Amino acid sequence: MSTLRMNQKYYFRIYIQAKKKNKNKPKMSEYWKSNPRKFCDFCKCWISDNKPSIEFHERGKRHKENVQNRINEVRKSSEKKAKEKAEFDDDIAAMEKAALAAFRKDLESNPALADHYKAKAIAAKEEQEKLEAQKNKKRKNEVLEEKFERQETVEDSGTWYEAISPEGYPYYWNSLTNEPVWTAPEKYISLAEQERLQNGEVEEEPDPEVTGARNIPLPDEEEAPPPVEPEPTPQIPLPPRKDPKSSRSVFGGWETVSVTELPPPPEDLLVEDIPLPEPDREQKPPKQKFREKTVTSLNSNPGEVVSFKKRKVRSGARNARQRDTDD
Ligand SMILES: [Zn+2]
């Protein structure tokens, strides 16, 4: 076979292949725009990237299960990591401790080594301890300051005391604002506690000025005892309110009612008392009379029995209620 013929054959084959390819290729009119698709990472599947289908997919049971599984996996792995880190830290701490112990042992057994290291080691150690102590102190002070600040805001709102109203109902009043409320506040000093405080420390009634001076953080004081109110006698009437707007009572606030006497009316307006006519008690209301009425339209002929006439249905006419059997 000549090379020319081979080339011909070759090109012919390429031509046929191209034609076949074009035949399989859809015509322009057959093109359709493929919808964009979205990959669900939880389910490892493709879904149409439009709102309803995404929502439908995400509402599905399978997707929810897959999401929950993923969350569990993540949580488990993070827990595992945290555990591993804690174990690692423990190991490091143990190693450091062991190394320190070994070093101490070496120092004890070898005085020369101790001489060589001691001064340096102790100085470094002391330095470090000092630094640590300072840091701790600072942190503690910060915590305490924060605590006291919080406490101050609480104390700023005054102390609530339980008391009994003249009617015998318990109420609560504020030592700072004198505000009385019926509902129990979150924190208050009950009557029993007040009695105990009075019996126990009658002599030691702290001055409000003194309680205000407790801003210096005391290292071991966890919670300051509430100030003892001088005379929380139960039978006193409700103390007057200072601020009518601030009220924690569900029954509303207290208002000071002032009785002002009206000025006398002018002389010319004074009219002599005109006696009102005496009501006539003997007079009885007129008796209602009812008349009897006979309806005659239904039964014009006395003696004839009233009956309903049956409607005549023509054989051809179709009753609306009749069953239609035509179709
Ligand atoms: Zn999914």
Side-chain angles (χ1 to χ4, degrees):
M1 221 188 264
S2 68
T3 46
L4 179 76
R5 188 144 175 81
M6 265 175 77
N7 276 351
Q8 268 185 347
K9 225 177 173 179
Y10 173 71
Y11 284 118
F12 182 71
R13 204 160 63 218
I14 286 177
Y15 166 74
I16 291 293
Q17 272 175 358
K19 213 176 173 187
K20 257 189 194 163
K21 219 183 212 172
N22 276 343
K23 202 178 164 193
N24 289 341
K25 217 170 162 186
K27 288 169 202 158
M28 254 345 243
S29 59
E30 286 170 346
Y31 272 114
W32 55 283
K33 196 181 172 298
S34 64
N35 287 325
R37 316 209 87 192
K38 188 179 185 288
F39 187 71
C40 178
D41 197 38
F42 297 106
C43 308
K44 306 279 180 235
C45 68
W46 289 94
I47 42 171
S48 299
D49 192 8
N50 54 56
K51 213 180 163 196
S53 97
I54 289 169
E55 275 178 357
F56 179 77
H57 175 83
E58 284 176 351
R59 271 202 308 272
K61 198 183 163 196
R62 193 167 64 104
H63 177 82
K64 281 180 180 168
E65 276 176 8
N66 286 333
V67 169
Q68 194 55 48
N69 287 346
R70 178 68 66 83
I71 290 168
N72 289 345
E73 269 172 35
V74 168
R75 202 175 50 206
K76 251 182 217 164
S77 72
S78 67
E79 271 172 11
K80 205 177 160 192
K81 266 182 199 162
K83 208 177 160 191
E84 276 171 2
K85 195 185 175 295
E87 277 172 8
F88 178 75
D89 287 350
D90 282 354
D91 285 351
I92 292 287
M95 276 156 78
E96 275 177 355
K97 210 175 165 187
L100 206 74
F103 180 60
R104 202 169 288 155
K105 217 172 174 181
D106 281 354
L107 287 181
E108 276 167 16
S109 61
N110 194 347
L113 198 70
D115 279 344
H116 180 68
Y117 277 114
K118 215 172 187 176
K120 236 176 165 179
I122 284 172
K125 209 176 172 187
E126 274 177 356
E127 189 75 15
Q128 206 182 345
E129 270 174 8
K130 222 166 127 186
L131 267 172
E132 205 120 297
Q134 268 179 359
K135 229 188 263 171
N136 274 352
K137 210 173 165 186
K138 205 175 163 191
R139 205 167 47 209
K140 211 170 178 182
N141 273 356
E142 271 169 15
V143 167
L144 275 169
E145 265 169 36
E146 205 178 299
K147 200 182 265 176
F148 267 83
E149 261 169 44
R150 243 182 292 140
Q151 223 166 51
E152 258 185 8
T153 55
V154 169
E155 275 173 15
D156 274 350
S157 60
T159 313
W160 291 91
Y161 290 94
E162 191 184 6
I164 300 289
S165 74
E167 291 86 9
Y169 296 108
Y171 70 94
Y172 308 88
W173 64 283
N174 192 294
S175 64
L176 196 79
T177 59
N178 269 352
E179 179 190 4
V181 293
W182 290 112
T183 49
E186 270 178 41
K187 239 177 151 183
Y188 64 88
I189 297 171
S190 66
L191 286 172
E193 281 172 311
Q194 286 172 38
E195 211 166 291
R196 233 177 319 146
L197 284 167
Q198 261 193 319
N199 291 342
E201 7 180 342
V202 186
E203 305 304 318
E204 283 182 62
E205 282 168 1
D207 209 312
E209 251 56 47
V210 174
T211 54
R214 264 189 298 110
N215 283 344
I216 310 127
L218 301 171
D220 288 327
E221 197 176 12
E222 279 299 312
E223 196 141 337
V228 184
E229 196 55 29
E231 276 168 50
T233 39
Q235 288 303 328
I236 49 151
L238 297 175
R241 301 199 40 193
K242 276 178 184 167
D243 182 14
K245 269 178 193 168
S246 78
S247 175
R248 292 163 71 174
S249 167
V250 289
F251 308 108
W254 292 85
E255 271 176 44
T256 314
V257 179
S258 58
V259 183
T260 49
E261 267 187 52
L262 289 167
E267 286 293 321
D268 54 338
L269 266 178
L270 285 173
V271 188
E272 273 182 51
D273 278 354
I274 301 159
L276 288 166
E278 278 280 317
D280 190 4
R281 291 181 201 284
E282 298 305 309
Q283 199 182 343
K284 279 175 188 166
K287 200 170 181 182
Q288 193 88 35
K289 275 181 186 171
F290 296 100
R291 274 194 303 160
E292 199 177 324
K293 194 179 177 184
T294 315
V295 181
T296 54
S297 62
L298 266 178
N299 196 0
S300 50
N301 274 350
E304 196 191 323
V305 183
V306 179
S307 65
F308 293 99
K309 275 181 187 167
K310 203 167 182 179
R311 192 177 141 217
K312 276 173 192 161
V313 182
R314 280 182 291 130
S315 56
R318 179 171 289 155
N319 193 325
R321 292 162 77 184
Q322 234 170 11
R323 193 184 168 85
D324 197 0
T325 50
D326 282 6
D327 48 22

